[in-house]
């Protein structure tokens, strides 16, 4: 065994033939499997975040800005027409300078609102936002790799093909690193040393 843990499964019995790489014992890996599932969820979340940030921000926010811009541009167009009418009336002494000033203020206010909305779009995503999302992705991938490594360490496999002539574990047993799980041998060929007096 390469790590400590409780044996969850020991599928090999004494006298059974095993292939190289066959599972001899599986340690309980629920904690590592939970960590892996959590890391995979964080990977998906980070990828979605990177995709959103790469597109310039959340789609909902971009649509809201576009709709507000469309509305403000229409209002500005109408306000410019009202200003032109007020200026013509004032030129013919049929309107007041105050009406012209109010119409011009309305156009200027709407122009500032449009500038503000246009500046808001690039501000949805800052350079640090994408870097943070990429760092979260790397961290989650690292956690997933570590969880996979811990899961793989919980699988004790036969290093060679042969006969399991001794099996030392049962489900529920606790193993420490380096504990003997089974002894596998090739019993087709035997070497016998006989000492004769």
């Amino acid at each position: 065994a390469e790590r400590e843990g409780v044996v969850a499964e020991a599928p090999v019995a004494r006298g059974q033939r095993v292939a190289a790489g066959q599972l001899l014992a599986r340690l309980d890996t629920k904690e590592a499997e939970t960590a892996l599932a959590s890391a995979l969820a964080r990977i998906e979340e980070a990828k979605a975040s990177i995709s959103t940030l790469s597109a310039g921000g959340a789609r909902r926010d971009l649509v809201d800005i576009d709709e507000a811009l469309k509305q403000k541009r229409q209002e500005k167009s109408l306000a410019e027409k009202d200003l032109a009418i007020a200026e013509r009336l004032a030129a013919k002494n049929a309107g007041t300078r105050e009406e012209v000033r109010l119409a011009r203020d309305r156009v200027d206010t709407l122009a500032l609102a449009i500038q503000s909305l246009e500046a808001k779009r690039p501000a949805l995503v800052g350079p640090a936002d994408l870097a943070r999302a990429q760092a979260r992705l790397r961290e989650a991938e690292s956690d997933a790799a570590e969880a996979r490594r811990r899961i793989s360490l919980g699988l004790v496999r036969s290093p060679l093909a042969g006969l399991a002539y001794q099996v030392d574990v049962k489900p529920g047993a606790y193993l420490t690193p380096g504990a003997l799980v089974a002894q596998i041998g090739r019993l087709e060929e035997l070497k016998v040393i006989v000492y004769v007096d």
Side-chain angles (χ1 to χ4, degrees), residues 39-113:
L40 291 175
R42 286 186 288 124
I43 287 171
E44 291 306 314
E45 181 184 355
K47 284 181 178 177
S49 180
I50 288 171
S51 174
T52 298
L53 293 171
S54 297
R59 185 80 188 131
R60 180 184 65 240
D61 295 338
L62 291 171
V63 168
D64 288 347
I65 290 172
D66 287 342
E67 288 300 316
L69 273 170
K70 185 177 175 183
Q71 180 183 355
K72 293 296 181 188
R73 286 181 178 137
Q74 287 175 346
E75 288 178 22
K76 184 180 176 219
S77 176
L78 291 173
E80 286 171 341
K81 288 177 184 174
D82 290 344
L83 174 61
I85 291 169
E87 285 174 340
R88 278 196 307 271
L89 289 174
K92 295 179 182 177
N93 291 327
T96 65
R97 289 281 170 215
E98 183 63 21
E99 290 172 341
V100 172
R101 188 186 64 75
L102 289 173
R104 186 169 285 120
D105 286 348
R106 174 86 174 128
V107 170
D108 292 343
T109 302
L110 289 168
L112 286 173

Side-chain angles (χ1 to χ4, degrees), residues 151-194:
I151 289 170
S152 72
L153 289 177
L155 303 175
V156 181
R157 298 188 180 279
S158 175
L160 54 98
L163 184 72
Y165 63 87
Q166 181 179 339
V167 178
D168 293 337
V169 296
K170 302 263 185 263
Y174 187 81
L175 293 181
T176 57
L180 185 64
V181 173
Q183 291 185 359
I184 311 294
R186 294 187 182 120
L187 303 180
E188 297 82 23
E189 298 177 15
L190 296 177
K191 179 178 179 182
V192 179
I193 299 175
V194 179

